[in-house]
Amino acid sequence: SSVSRCTNIERKALNLLQGGCQMPFGMHCTQDDNGNYHAWAALAENWDSPLVRVNMSSSTSAGLAERVVEALHNKLNELKRQSVKVAA
């Protein structure tokens, strides 16, 4: 079913992040009437750190979790670089 496919994408992203219930991560995935997948995710390094957010769509579920995690990591790295520039 659509719900189980979306839930599997969400769980795969959490597993790729090696996270659990204590990780400041959230993701929601849906499948529209045309079969396209839409994912929204947010991640922070710590509970008191700023969130980074991504959203993306795909015509297939293949690789979607991996792309979401990669985009989150890229945004976190960019946030760190900006923080270093501000502190300098």
Side-chain angles (χ1 to χ4, degrees):
S1 79
S2 172
V3 172
S4 64
R5 286 189 294 275
C6 289
T7 302
N8 287 339
I9 293 167
E10 296 164 356
R11 288 181 181 157
K12 177 142 190 184
L14 184 61
N15 288 334
L16 289 168
L17 291 166
Q18 298 177 345
C21 296
Q22 299 302 315
M23 176 176 266
F25 168 73
M27 183 169 173
H28 178 67
C29 183
T30 62
Q31 187 177 25
D32 65 25
D33 292 339
N34 295 320
N36 296 309
Y37 292 88
H38 307 282
W40 297 264
L43 176 67
E45 285 197 299
N46 301 301
W47 288 105
D48 58 350
S49 299
L51 279 174
V52 294
R53 295 176 177 90
V54 299
N55 63 350
M56 56 184 58
S57 298
S58 177
S59 61
T60 176
S61 64
L64 183 55
E66 290 86 350
R67 290 193 305 277
V68 166
V69 169
E70 180 180 11
L72 287 168
H73 280 303
N74 289 342
K75 284 199 169 196
L76 277 177
N77 289 334
E78 180 60 29
L79 187 63
K80 286 183 201 176
R81 284 193 292 277
Q82 290 174 0
S83 296
V84 170
K85 287 179 186 176
V86 170

